Short mmCIF file of all heavy atoms in Angstrom, two decimals:
data_model
loop_
_atom_site.label_atom_id
_atom_site.label_comp_id
_atom_site.label_asym_id
_atom_site.label_seq_id
_atom_site.Cartn_x
_atom_site.Cartn_y
_atom_site.Cartn_z
N ILE A 278 214.23 115.39 190.42
CA ILE A 278 213.48 116.34 191.32
C ILE A 278 213.08 115.54 192.59
O ILE A 278 213.11 116.10 193.70
CB ILE A 278 212.32 117.01 190.62
CG1 ILE A 278 212.81 117.85 189.45
CG2 ILE A 278 211.49 117.84 191.57
CD1 ILE A 278 211.76 118.54 188.65
N VAL A 279 212.56 114.33 192.39
CA VAL A 279 212.09 113.53 193.51
C VAL A 279 213.25 113.24 194.46
O VAL A 279 213.13 113.33 195.66
CB VAL A 279 211.40 112.26 193.06
CG1 VAL A 279 211.14 111.29 194.18
CG2 VAL A 279 210.11 112.56 192.26
N ALA A 280 214.47 112.90 193.84
CA ALA A 280 215.58 112.63 194.70
C ALA A 280 216.00 113.86 195.53
O ALA A 280 216.31 113.77 196.70
CB ALA A 280 216.73 112.20 193.80
N TYR A 281 215.95 115.04 194.84
CA TYR A 281 216.29 116.23 195.63
C TYR A 281 215.28 116.53 196.75
O TYR A 281 215.58 116.97 197.83
CB TYR A 281 216.40 117.45 194.68
CG TYR A 281 216.87 118.73 195.36
CD1 TYR A 281 218.20 118.88 195.66
CD2 TYR A 281 215.94 119.72 195.76
CE1 TYR A 281 218.62 120.07 196.30
CE2 TYR A 281 216.45 120.80 196.42
CZ TYR A 281 217.73 121.01 196.68
OH TYR A 281 218.19 122.09 197.37
N ALA A 282 213.97 116.37 196.43
CA ALA A 282 212.95 116.53 197.45
C ALA A 282 213.13 115.62 198.59
O ALA A 282 213.01 116.01 199.80
CB ALA A 282 211.55 116.35 196.84
N ALA A 283 213.45 114.37 198.33
CA ALA A 283 213.68 113.34 199.41
C ALA A 283 214.95 113.76 200.19
O ALA A 283 215.01 113.66 201.48
CB ALA A 283 213.93 111.97 198.82
N HIS A 284 216.00 114.25 199.56
CA HIS A 284 217.16 114.70 200.25
C HIS A 284 216.77 115.84 201.15
O HIS A 284 217.32 115.84 202.36
CB HIS A 284 218.19 115.20 199.19
CG HIS A 284 219.33 116.07 199.75
ND1 HIS A 284 220.29 115.57 200.55
CD2 HIS A 284 219.53 117.43 199.64
CE1 HIS A 284 221.11 116.57 200.93
NE2 HIS A 284 220.61 117.65 200.32
N ARG A 285 215.99 116.85 200.66
CA ARG A 285 215.60 117.97 201.60
C ARG A 285 214.73 117.49 202.75
O ARG A 285 214.92 117.93 203.89
CB ARG A 285 214.89 119.02 200.75
CG ARG A 285 215.70 119.71 199.73
CD ARG A 285 216.60 120.80 200.39
NE ARG A 285 215.80 121.81 201.04
CZ ARG A 285 216.27 122.69 201.85
NH1 ARG A 285 217.53 122.71 202.15
NH2 ARG A 285 215.47 123.64 202.42
N MET A 286 213.91 116.56 202.44
CA MET A 286 213.05 115.97 203.51
C MET A 286 213.81 115.24 204.56
O MET A 286 213.49 115.30 205.75
CB MET A 286 211.93 115.07 202.83
CG MET A 286 210.81 114.70 203.85
SD MET A 286 209.92 116.09 204.56
CE MET A 286 208.77 116.41 203.25
N GLY A 287 214.82 114.51 204.11
CA GLY A 287 215.68 113.77 205.04
C GLY A 287 216.43 114.77 205.92
O GLY A 287 216.73 114.51 207.09
N MET A 288 216.90 115.91 205.39
CA MET A 288 217.56 116.92 206.21
C MET A 288 216.71 117.46 207.31
O MET A 288 217.21 117.83 208.32
CB MET A 288 218.07 118.03 205.30
CG MET A 288 219.16 117.65 204.34
SD MET A 288 219.61 119.03 203.21
CE MET A 288 220.11 120.26 204.41
N MET A 289 215.37 117.38 207.09
CA MET A 289 214.46 117.89 208.08
C MET A 289 213.91 116.79 208.94
O MET A 289 212.98 117.07 209.78
CB MET A 289 213.29 118.64 207.37
CG MET A 289 213.79 119.85 206.56
SD MET A 289 212.55 120.48 205.49
CE MET A 289 213.46 121.79 204.64
N GLY A 290 214.49 115.56 208.84
CA GLY A 290 214.15 114.51 209.78
C GLY A 290 212.96 113.61 209.38
O GLY A 290 212.57 112.71 210.06
N ALA A 291 212.27 113.95 208.23
CA ALA A 291 211.14 113.09 207.82
C ALA A 291 211.56 112.05 206.89
O ALA A 291 211.26 112.03 205.68
CB ALA A 291 210.12 114.01 207.16
N HIS A 292 212.27 111.05 207.45
CA HIS A 292 212.87 109.98 206.55
C HIS A 292 211.79 109.08 206.00
O HIS A 292 211.89 108.59 204.85
CB HIS A 292 213.80 109.17 207.39
CG HIS A 292 214.98 110.00 207.98
ND1 HIS A 292 215.91 110.54 207.23
CD2 HIS A 292 215.21 110.35 209.27
CE1 HIS A 292 216.79 111.21 207.95
NE2 HIS A 292 216.38 111.11 209.25
N ILE A 293 210.72 108.83 206.71
CA ILE A 293 209.69 107.86 206.23
C ILE A 293 209.01 108.47 204.99
O ILE A 293 208.82 107.80 204.04
CB ILE A 293 208.62 107.64 207.36
CG1 ILE A 293 209.29 106.95 208.56
CG2 ILE A 293 207.48 106.84 206.85
CD1 ILE A 293 208.39 106.68 209.70
N GLU A 294 208.65 109.82 205.10
CA GLU A 294 207.99 110.41 203.90
C GLU A 294 209.02 110.49 202.72
O GLU A 294 208.57 110.34 201.60
CB GLU A 294 207.55 111.79 204.30
CG GLU A 294 206.68 112.44 203.29
CD GLU A 294 205.86 113.64 203.88
OE1 GLU A 294 206.11 113.95 205.07
OE2 GLU A 294 205.19 114.31 203.10
N ALA A 295 210.29 110.71 203.07
CA ALA A 295 211.20 110.74 201.93
C ALA A 295 211.29 109.40 201.26
O ALA A 295 211.35 109.31 200.00
CB ALA A 295 212.57 111.14 202.49
N ARG A 296 211.28 108.35 202.01
CA ARG A 296 211.27 106.97 201.41
C ARG A 296 210.02 106.73 200.60
O ARG A 296 210.06 105.96 199.57
CB ARG A 296 211.48 105.86 202.46
CG ARG A 296 212.89 105.87 203.02
CD ARG A 296 213.16 104.64 203.84
NE ARG A 296 212.34 104.49 205.01
CZ ARG A 296 212.63 104.99 206.25
NH1 ARG A 296 213.80 105.58 206.40
NH2 ARG A 296 211.79 104.83 207.25
N GLN A 297 208.87 107.29 201.05
CA GLN A 297 207.65 107.03 200.31
C GLN A 297 207.75 107.75 198.92
O GLN A 297 207.18 107.20 197.95
CB GLN A 297 206.47 107.67 201.08
CG GLN A 297 206.12 106.80 202.39
CD GLN A 297 205.07 107.49 203.15
OE1 GLN A 297 204.66 108.60 202.94
NE2 GLN A 297 204.62 106.77 204.30
N TRP A 298 208.36 108.84 198.88
CA TRP A 298 208.51 109.52 197.58
C TRP A 298 209.49 108.70 196.67
O TRP A 298 209.26 108.71 195.42
CB TRP A 298 209.16 110.94 197.76
CG TRP A 298 208.13 111.88 198.41
CD1 TRP A 298 206.82 111.62 198.60
CD2 TRP A 298 208.45 113.17 198.87
NE1 TRP A 298 206.22 112.72 199.16
CE2 TRP A 298 207.17 113.67 199.42
CE3 TRP A 298 209.52 113.99 198.98
CZ2 TRP A 298 207.10 114.93 199.98
CZ3 TRP A 298 209.45 115.26 199.53
CH2 TRP A 298 208.24 115.67 200.08
N ILE A 299 210.49 108.13 197.14
CA ILE A 299 211.53 107.36 196.40
C ILE A 299 210.91 106.00 195.96
O ILE A 299 211.30 105.54 194.82
CB ILE A 299 212.78 107.24 197.23
CG1 ILE A 299 213.45 108.56 197.52
CG2 ILE A 299 213.76 106.31 196.52
CD1 ILE A 299 214.64 108.46 198.49
N ALA A 300 210.09 105.41 196.73
CA ALA A 300 209.70 104.04 196.51
C ALA A 300 209.21 103.74 195.10
O ALA A 300 209.63 102.77 194.45
CB ALA A 300 208.63 103.62 197.53
N PRO A 301 208.30 104.54 194.50
CA PRO A 301 207.77 104.21 193.15
C PRO A 301 208.89 104.20 192.10
O PRO A 301 208.83 103.43 191.12
CB PRO A 301 206.75 105.37 192.86
CG PRO A 301 206.34 105.89 194.17
CD PRO A 301 207.59 105.76 195.00
N PHE A 302 209.90 105.04 192.29
CA PHE A 302 210.96 105.07 191.30
C PHE A 302 211.99 103.98 191.54
O PHE A 302 212.62 103.53 190.56
CB PHE A 302 211.67 106.41 191.30
CG PHE A 302 210.75 107.59 190.97
CD1 PHE A 302 210.01 108.26 191.93
CD2 PHE A 302 210.64 107.98 189.68
CE1 PHE A 302 209.12 109.30 191.61
CE2 PHE A 302 209.80 109.00 189.34
CZ PHE A 302 209.06 109.68 190.23
N TRP A 303 212.13 103.54 192.82
CA TRP A 303 213.00 102.45 193.05
C TRP A 303 212.60 101.17 192.44
O TRP A 303 213.40 100.28 192.07
CB TRP A 303 213.22 102.33 194.60
CG TRP A 303 214.44 101.52 194.93
CD1 TRP A 303 214.49 100.21 195.14
CD2 TRP A 303 215.70 101.98 195.12
NE1 TRP A 303 215.75 99.77 195.50
CE2 TRP A 303 216.59 100.84 195.47
CE3 TRP A 303 216.36 103.21 195.00
CZ2 TRP A 303 217.90 100.91 195.62
CZ3 TRP A 303 217.67 103.33 195.22
CH2 TRP A 303 218.43 102.23 195.57
N ASP A 304 211.22 101.00 192.35
CA ASP A 304 210.73 99.73 191.80
C ASP A 304 211.06 99.68 190.30
O ASP A 304 211.00 98.54 189.73
CB ASP A 304 209.17 99.69 191.99
CG ASP A 304 208.86 99.55 193.44
OD1 ASP A 304 209.69 99.07 194.17
OD2 ASP A 304 207.71 100.03 193.82
N LYS A 305 211.26 100.78 189.60
CA LYS A 305 211.60 100.77 188.15
C LYS A 305 212.99 101.38 187.92
O LYS A 305 213.26 102.00 186.93
CB LYS A 305 210.59 101.48 187.35
CG LYS A 305 210.24 102.88 187.81
CD LYS A 305 209.20 103.60 187.02
CE LYS A 305 208.93 104.96 187.50
NZ LYS A 305 207.84 105.63 186.74
N LEU A 306 213.89 101.03 188.85
CA LEU A 306 215.25 101.57 188.84
C LEU A 306 216.01 101.23 187.54
O LEU A 306 216.79 102.04 186.99
CB LEU A 306 216.05 101.14 190.08
CG LEU A 306 217.28 102.08 190.44
CD1 LEU A 306 216.80 103.47 190.85
CD2 LEU A 306 217.93 101.40 191.66
N GLY A 307 215.79 100.02 187.07
CA GLY A 307 216.59 99.49 185.91
C GLY A 307 216.06 100.24 184.63
O GLY A 307 216.88 100.19 183.61
N GLN A 308 215.01 100.93 184.59
CA GLN A 308 214.50 101.65 183.43
C GLN A 308 214.98 103.12 183.41
O GLN A 308 214.68 103.84 182.42
CB GLN A 308 212.99 101.56 183.38
CG GLN A 308 212.49 100.17 183.36
CD GLN A 308 210.95 100.10 183.52
OE1 GLN A 308 210.25 101.19 183.33
NE2 GLN A 308 210.36 98.94 183.77
N LEU A 309 215.65 103.59 184.41
CA LEU A 309 215.97 104.99 184.54
C LEU A 309 217.35 105.28 184.00
O LEU A 309 218.23 104.35 184.08
CB LEU A 309 215.85 105.43 185.99
CG LEU A 309 214.49 105.30 186.68
CD1 LEU A 309 214.52 105.72 188.16
CD2 LEU A 309 213.40 106.14 185.93
N PRO A 310 217.66 106.48 183.64
CA PRO A 310 219.04 106.81 183.19
C PRO A 310 220.01 106.79 184.37
O PRO A 310 219.61 106.83 185.52
CB PRO A 310 218.90 108.19 182.60
CG PRO A 310 217.61 108.75 183.16
CD PRO A 310 216.74 107.62 183.40
N SER A 311 221.24 106.81 184.05
CA SER A 311 222.33 106.66 185.05
C SER A 311 222.27 107.83 186.06
O SER A 311 222.49 107.60 187.28
CB SER A 311 223.66 106.51 184.40
OG SER A 311 223.96 107.69 183.59
N ASP A 312 222.08 109.04 185.55
CA ASP A 312 222.07 110.17 186.54
C ASP A 312 220.88 110.05 187.48
O ASP A 312 221.03 110.44 188.70
CB ASP A 312 222.05 111.45 185.77
CG ASP A 312 220.84 111.57 184.84
OD1 ASP A 312 220.22 110.59 184.55
OD2 ASP A 312 220.56 112.72 184.36
N ALA A 313 219.73 109.61 187.03
CA ALA A 313 218.64 109.37 187.90
C ALA A 313 218.91 108.30 188.94
O ALA A 313 218.55 108.46 190.17
CB ALA A 313 217.36 109.11 187.15
N VAL A 314 219.60 107.21 188.47
CA VAL A 314 219.90 106.15 189.42
C VAL A 314 220.83 106.65 190.63
O VAL A 314 220.68 106.27 191.74
CB VAL A 314 220.50 104.99 188.65
CG1 VAL A 314 221.08 103.91 189.58
CG2 VAL A 314 219.53 104.40 187.70
N GLU A 315 221.86 107.44 190.13
CA GLU A 315 222.79 107.96 191.09
C GLU A 315 222.12 108.86 192.10
O GLU A 315 222.33 108.76 193.36
CB GLU A 315 223.85 108.80 190.36
CG GLU A 315 224.77 107.95 189.40
CD GLU A 315 225.78 107.14 190.25
OE1 GLU A 315 226.14 107.59 191.39
OE2 GLU A 315 226.22 106.14 189.69
N ALA A 316 221.17 109.72 191.59
CA ALA A 316 220.51 110.63 192.53
C ALA A 316 219.67 109.88 193.51
O ALA A 316 219.59 110.18 194.69
CB ALA A 316 219.69 111.61 191.69
N LEU A 317 218.85 108.94 193.02
CA LEU A 317 217.93 108.18 193.87
C LEU A 317 218.67 107.31 194.82
O LEU A 317 218.27 107.19 196.07
CB LEU A 317 217.00 107.30 193.04
CG LEU A 317 215.97 107.98 192.16
CD1 LEU A 317 215.32 107.05 191.23
CD2 LEU A 317 214.90 108.65 193.10
N SER A 318 219.85 106.79 194.43
CA SER A 318 220.70 105.97 195.39
C SER A 318 221.10 106.86 196.50
O SER A 318 221.10 106.48 197.70
CB SER A 318 221.75 105.33 194.63
OG SER A 318 221.28 104.43 193.64
N GLY A 319 221.67 108.05 196.16
CA GLY A 319 222.13 108.93 197.19
C GLY A 319 221.04 109.41 198.11
O GLY A 319 221.30 109.48 199.30
N ALA A 320 219.88 109.71 197.51
CA ALA A 320 218.82 110.12 198.35
C ALA A 320 218.34 109.06 199.37
O ALA A 320 218.06 109.30 200.49
CB ALA A 320 217.61 110.62 197.49
N LEU A 321 218.29 107.82 198.86
CA LEU A 321 217.83 106.74 199.76
C LEU A 321 218.91 106.47 200.84
O LEU A 321 218.54 106.21 202.01
CB LEU A 321 217.59 105.50 198.95
CG LEU A 321 217.05 104.26 199.78
CD1 LEU A 321 215.79 104.61 200.49
CD2 LEU A 321 216.89 103.08 198.81
N SER A 322 220.16 106.53 200.49
CA SER A 322 221.18 106.25 201.49
C SER A 322 221.17 107.31 202.65
O SER A 322 221.65 107.03 203.74
CB SER A 322 222.62 106.22 200.80
OG SER A 322 222.88 107.54 200.20
N GLU A 323 220.64 108.49 202.36
CA GLU A 323 220.52 109.55 203.40
C GLU A 323 219.25 109.38 204.20
O GLU A 323 219.11 110.13 205.16
CB GLU A 323 220.54 110.96 202.68
CG GLU A 323 221.84 111.24 201.98
CD GLU A 323 221.66 112.48 201.14
OE1 GLU A 323 220.60 113.08 201.14
OE2 GLU A 323 222.71 113.00 200.55
N ASN A 324 218.40 108.49 203.84
CA ASN A 324 217.08 108.38 204.52
C ASN A 324 216.82 106.90 204.98
O ASN A 324 215.74 106.39 204.77
CB ASN A 324 215.98 108.85 203.62
CG ASN A 324 215.96 110.36 203.41
OD1 ASN A 324 215.52 111.08 204.23
ND2 ASN A 324 216.49 110.76 202.22
N LEU A 325 217.87 106.29 205.51
CA LEU A 325 217.71 104.88 205.89
C LEU A 325 217.35 104.71 207.33
O LEU A 325 217.09 103.60 207.80
CB LEU A 325 219.00 104.14 205.65
CG LEU A 325 219.42 103.99 204.13
CD1 LEU A 325 220.80 103.40 204.00
CD2 LEU A 325 218.39 103.11 203.42
N LEU A 326 217.30 105.72 208.13
CA LEU A 326 217.02 105.60 209.54
C LEU A 326 215.65 105.09 209.78
O LEU A 326 214.62 105.68 209.21
CB LEU A 326 217.18 107.01 210.22
CG LEU A 326 217.07 107.04 211.77
CD1 LEU A 326 218.14 106.14 212.40
CD2 LEU A 326 217.12 108.43 212.30
N GLY A 327 215.49 104.01 210.49
CA GLY A 327 214.14 103.43 210.72
C GLY A 327 213.55 102.68 209.53
O GLY A 327 212.32 102.73 209.28
N LEU A 328 214.45 102.18 208.64
CA LEU A 328 213.96 101.47 207.37
C LEU A 328 213.04 100.35 207.72
O LEU A 328 213.28 99.49 208.50
CB LEU A 328 215.18 100.97 206.58
CG LEU A 328 214.88 100.36 205.23
CD1 LEU A 328 214.38 101.45 204.21
CD2 LEU A 328 216.13 99.66 204.68
N GLU A 329 211.85 100.37 207.04
CA GLU A 329 210.83 99.31 207.29
C GLU A 329 211.19 97.95 206.61
O GLU A 329 211.93 97.98 205.63
CB GLU A 329 209.48 99.83 206.73
CG GLU A 329 209.03 101.12 207.31
CD GLU A 329 209.44 102.33 206.53
OE1 GLU A 329 210.44 102.14 205.68
OE2 GLU A 329 209.01 103.44 206.78
N ALA A 330 210.61 96.90 207.19
CA ALA A 330 210.87 95.58 206.65
C ALA A 330 210.35 95.42 205.26
O ALA A 330 210.78 94.63 204.45
CB ALA A 330 210.31 94.53 207.57
#
Side-chain angles (χ1 to χ4, degrees):
I278 297 177
V279 172
Y281 184 78
H284 163 71
R285 292 284 297 168
M286 188 62 81
M288 291 176 61
M289 297 169 186
H292 301 291
I293 298 177
E294 192 166 357
R296 289 194 293 271
Q297 291 174 353
W298 290 350
I299 296 173
F302 296 91
W303 195 269
D304 292 335
K305 52 182 180 181
L306 202 63
Q308 305 172 12
L309 299 179
S311 59
D312 55 346
V314 172
E315 294 287 333
L317 289 170
S318 300
L321 181 60
S322 63
E323 297 171 356
N324 290 280
L325 293 173
L326 186 63
L328 184 69
E329 303 88 346

